[in-house]
Amino acid sequence: MAEADAALRTLAHNVRAARTRAGLSLDELGRRAKVSKGALVGLEKAQGNPNFATLVRLADTLGVSVSALLEGPAEGRVRVVSADAVMPLWAGEQGGDARLMLTTSGPAPVEVWRWRLQPGEEYPSHPHQAGVTETVSVTAGRMVLVVDGTEHAVAAGQTAAFDGDVPHTYRGAGDATCHLIMTVHLPAGPTT
């Protein structure tokens, strides 16, 4: 439980700092991110349990990566992250999951995710801010990538890239678990 409390305090600090840097009031951040002011006040006091969709909306609105909201200060020049050391940010009803492994630093950060999707299991994503590009590289199994209503089959050994500012869905296909690496390429600088 101490680990979860520490993670919530880090999230609270990072959201407050990013909101301050962006020059946004709680009301304005809530309006833009479609999150209630009460939820934001609780979050900045390290209370509550925000879901993955809320974290993505806050990160998009603040012009930062999801991991920038979740991570403490960097501890060195090289980070090595083990998948079993990272808690899933999404868990599907059939056992799939998504883990944000790390985010690169610099003016245009890249989030690196590991996903597992069971056959028929899906994750629908809201549109991200303009300028976000995503890639999915399937390492085992098959998936269907739905971008703005159009389905695209992606099999092991294939990679797809798309603009993330439209509705999109990841769906496991076939009869085996789909494993994929997803990258989210964020535009430089905060959104105003």
Side-chain angles (χ1 to χ4, degrees), residues 8-129:
L8 195 53
R9 285 191 304 273
T10 298
L11 175 63
H13 173 269
N14 291 345
V15 168
R16 188 172 34 261
R19 179 178 62 78
T20 301
R21 276 192 311 273
L24 297 175
S25 67
L26 285 167
D27 287 323
E28 184 62 15
L29 176 58
R31 185 186 67 73
R32 290 184 187 186
K34 298 180 180 136
V35 175
S36 74
K37 181 179 179 181
L40 287 174
V41 168
L43 179 61
E44 288 193 5
K45 290 182 178 181
Q47 300 168 345
N49 186 18
N51 65 30
F52 177 54
T54 298
L55 292 176
V56 170
R57 285 195 310 272
L58 287 171
D60 280 350
T61 302
L62 293 166
V64 299
S65 66
V66 172
S67 63
L69 297 179
L70 298 172
E71 294 178 348
E75 295 181 12
R77 293 178 66 113
V78 175
R79 285 182 289 161
V80 177
V81 181
S82 175
D84 60 357
V86 178
M87 294 298 297
L89 289 178
W90 172 80
E93 293 180 6
Q94 299 171 18
D97 61 20
R99 298 169 192 263
L100 176 56
M101 300 304 296
L102 59 85
T103 301
T104 62
S105 59
V110 176
E111 297 176 349
V112 179
W113 294 77
R114 292 178 70 120
W115 284 75
R116 287 184 313 145
L117 293 167
Q118 299 304 326
E121 190 171 48
E122 67 178 38
Y123 176 78
S125 179
H126 74 285
H128 301 297
Q129 64 179 308

Side-chain angles (χ1 to χ4, degrees), residues 100-168:
L100 176 56
M101 300 304 296
L102 59 85
T103 301
T104 62
S105 59
V110 176
E111 297 176 349
V112 179
W113 294 77
R114 292 178 70 120
W115 284 75
R116 287 184 313 145
L117 293 167
Q118 299 304 326
E121 190 171 48
E122 67 178 38
Y123 176 78
S125 179
H126 74 285
H128 301 297
Q129 64 179 308
V132 171
T133 302
E134 293 192 21
T135 65
V136 290
S137 296
V138 176
T139 59
R142 295 184 300 144
M143 72 173 290
V144 173
L145 172 65
V146 183
V147 178
D148 206 16
T150 302
E151 294 188 359
H152 307 271
V154 187
Q158 294 182 317
T159 299
F162 61 96
D163 293 333
D165 61 353
V166 296
H168 49 283

